[in-house]
Amino acid sequence: MPTAHEEVSWEKKSLAGFCFWEKKTETLPIQDLRKLQAQRLVQSVKVAQAVPFYKEKFKAASIHPNKIVSPDSIRSLPFTTKEDMRNLFPYGLLAVPLEDCVRVHASSGTTGSSVAVFYTENDIETWSNLVARCLYGVGVRRSDIFQNMAGYGLFTGGLGFHYGAQKLGALTIPANAGNSKRQVALMVDFGTTVIHVMPSFALYLMRVFEEMGINPKKDIKLRTMFLGAEPHSEETRKRIEAFYGVDAYNSYGLSEMNGPGVSFECHMKDGVHIWEDSYIVEVIDPDGDEPLPVGETGELVYTTLTKEAMPLIRYRSGDLACFIPEPCACGRTHRRISRIQGRIDDMIIWKGVNIFPMQIDSILMDIPEMVENYLVVLEIDNYVDTMTVQVEVPEVYLEGEKSEGLRRRIINSLQSELLVKPEVQLLPAGTIPVSETGKTRRVIDKRSL
């Protein structure tokens, strides 16, 4: 372990600032952090000028790196959108010769043309270090056994966490996604202490543990979970922590920046720290381009500060969150954002009301009788928009007074939060199809079919 990285015993985790991978960087005084951002922003703009797309945009806006004097100068720079990335796929945003690139990751393209992100060797090293910083920040050490249950390949979550765990020095099991009984067997056989998993798969595994007769609190050594790749509510986290007897941490990133390693939740579990030495983050009006006051929810916009192969300037992520104004008790100076509250393109409009799936998740995960899965189905019935929330429950609640009482309770809870009244259908456990290898589908909108 490099001498700059503090080894702090797990028993001291209750102390503020108990574990820093790079203490000087993570606790850099805010004024110095802003100076570093300004310096790196100048360099990032210079690198981006090698891309014809940015060169033309900078010229049209009379932008020159010498005009950048602070992170606030970023507001004069043009936005980049996912549509831009799709239109320029695959090589149109490369800022270095292709032979200088050693890795490419890409989206599946299931909701449109694919998006590609390239990396130089230095980009991979920087990315690995950021992920190691996240892992170390909640107590993961080289003595840990890390089981990576994310998909490997073009998806950034698998290799991103893998390289970060290896850099930290932890024994890393490249388990990949899916194959639920095998995942449990690996935890038992190797004494896994830390896992990276999608929250929906963590919920699915609860039933697998019960079917295999294994108690995760007694029969395995699991201590820490990283929940990533899907937005999830605080209620989902609590349900997972209660079943497994672990600390579960929110891992947020996006493929266009790197993937995991953009930010992490420290042991305070109160928002995620953005690594501001590598990214400038803005919160803007999603219907325009003006910055919003601290504490107000808007669209997250990212600018890379260290990427060589493919710098992105003011990338509109579509993710919705807000800045948390108070400093974190952990001692880090890098700003925090709230839990992701949804995506602009995930918003449901029903009966004139804007609804985000996370609102529904928060309500249902707080219902003790819900087994593990739910599905929101939107349809048109006789020219009328309908919403049916399907919820898996134990058999005892499928008929009679218990069934109707629970159904009414769920309807009332949803109506209180959403301000509209959906239908609720109670189903036996295991009825709703789940995906072991990808993100579980929570909403099916049949109205446009």
Side-chain angles (χ1 to χ4, degrees), residues 269-315:
K269 297 182 183 178
D270 185 20
V272 291
H273 291 269
I274 297 288
W275 292 129
E276 294 190 279
D277 58 320
S278 290
Y279 307 98
I280 291 179
V281 182
E282 305 167 78
V283 177
I284 69 167
D285 180 356
D287 296 320
D289 57 12
E290 292 300 313
L292 293 177
V294 172
E296 190 169 330
T297 298
E299 181 181 6
L300 297 175
V301 175
Y302 293 88
T303 297
T304 62
L305 297 178
T306 57
K307 289 291 289 286
E308 292 180 340
M310 204 172 116
L312 289 179
I313 306 298
R314 300 196 80 193
Y315 178 71

Side-chain angles (χ1 to χ4, degrees), residues 96-117:
V96 299
L98 185 59
E99 56 264 31
D100 289 347
C101 297
V102 298
R103 175 88 65 79
V104 61
H105 284 280
S107 66
S108 62
T110 54
T111 59
S113 301
S114 190
V115 167
V117 183

Side-chain angles (χ1 to χ4, degrees), residues 157-222:
L159 285 171
F161 260 90
H162 184 107
Y163 273 62
Q166 279 192 172
K167 184 170 185 63
L168 189 149
L171 176 65
T172 302
I173 306 172
N176 212 333
N179 204 348
S180 54
K181 290 186 178 180
R182 177 63 171 159
Q183 299 284 6
V184 175
L186 288 171
M187 291 186 221
V188 173
D189 293 342
F190 289 98
T192 301
T193 56
V194 183
I195 65 172
H196 172 221
V197 63
M198 289 184 183
S200 59
F201 191 46
L203 293 169
Y204 174 77
L205 280 176
M206 291 180 185
R207 178 152 45 102
V208 177
F209 269 99
E210 291 173 347
E211 290 173 354
M212 295 176 70
I214 296 174
N215 184 339
K217 293 180 180 178
K218 296 180 180 179
D219 302 330
I220 62 175
K221 298 179 180 180
L222 193 62

Side-chain angles (χ1 to χ4, degrees), residues 343-362:
R343 284 190 53 81
I344 294 171
D345 50 8
D346 283 346
M347 186 176 71
I348 299 167
I349 302 177
W350 187 60
K351 292 189 175 181
V353 176
N354 296 341
I355 300 169
F356 287 100
M358 283 281 286
Q359 294 174 276
I360 298 173
D361 188 276
S362 295

